[in-house]
């Protein structure tokens, strides 16, 4: 099973990117998680799209199309989904230059998220589910990984909190079970 991880944060010391790295460590046997960087992805612009997908967009669409499912690490900025993640979804919800189907259509998606706040990323994850459903993706499982006070659980770029590691491992196991 090949999962593609996308972090909605561009920050070098991102808690959400650290979650993706932890997920890669904790993935059950037979599951591989590749992480795709969203740096350099241009803002969605239909005029640009009509001229052909820019190289970073084409690479993202290809990676999403090849993946069996997606693992999205969703930060929360100002109570909502980040522009970085929304922009990526806007691009992958559209067919490519050759008018093949949109890579996100019908794709299974698992969401996790980390924030220094006390509610984790609950509002952003709710918004993300709405956007993904509208784009034709399927979000599973219904449970959530909401890493609150992430600065106390992610140390030096590593998810150090054992209880959170166990929760993330169970969440991934359950998600992969929905794919079988």
């Amino acid at each position: 099973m090949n999962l593609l991880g996308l972090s909605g944060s561009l920050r070098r010391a991102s808690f959400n990117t650290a979650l993706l790295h932890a997920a890669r460590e904790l993935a059950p046997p037979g599951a591989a998680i590749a992480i795709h960087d969203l740096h350099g992805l241009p803002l969605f612009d239909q005029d640009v799209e009509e001229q052909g997908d820019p190289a970073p967009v084409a690479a993202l669409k290809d990676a999403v199309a090849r993946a069996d499912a997606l693992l999205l690490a969703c930060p929360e900025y100002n109570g909502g989904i980040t522009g970085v993640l929304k922009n990526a979804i806007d691009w992958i919800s559209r067919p490519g230059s050759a008018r093949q189907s949109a890579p996100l259509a019908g794709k299974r998606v698992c969401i996790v998220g980390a924030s220094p706040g006390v509610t984790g990323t609950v509002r952003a994850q709710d918004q993300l589910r709405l956007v993904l459903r509208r784009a034709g993706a399927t979000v599973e499982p219904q449970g959530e990984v909401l890493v609150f006070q992430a600065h106390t659980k992610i140390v030096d770029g590593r998810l150090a909190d054992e209880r959170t590691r166990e929760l993330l491992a169970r969440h991934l196991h359950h998600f992969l079970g929905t794919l079988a």
Side-chain angles (χ1 to χ4, degrees), residues 39-122:
H39 282 89
L41 196 66
L43 291 175
F44 177 77
D45 180 337
Q46 190 170 357
D47 292 335
V48 170
E49 178 189 43
E50 288 174 357
Q51 300 302 312
D53 288 337
V57 172
L60 175 60
K61 286 183 174 183
D62 184 53
V64 170
R66 284 192 327 266
D68 296 312
L70 300 180
L71 175 61
L72 302 184
C74 178
E76 184 169 294
Y77 293 2
N78 296 315
I81 184 175
T82 65
V84 170
L85 192 52
K86 176 64 167 70
N87 184 55
I89 291 167
D90 288 344
W91 278 112
I92 61 177
S93 69
R94 310 275 297 182
S97 302
R99 295 293 168 218
Q100 73 272 21
S101 64
L104 187 57
K107 193 65 69 173
R108 303 290 288 274
V109 181
C110 181
I111 301 173
V112 297
S115 169
V118 295
T119 59
T121 59
V122 67

Side-chain angles (χ1 to χ4, degrees), residues 152-154 158-166:
T152 67
K153 296 173 179 156
I154 297 172
R158 184 177 184 283
L159 181 58
D161 183 72
E162 235 4 87
R163 187 170 174 202
T164 306
R165 290 177 67 82
E166 290 169 12

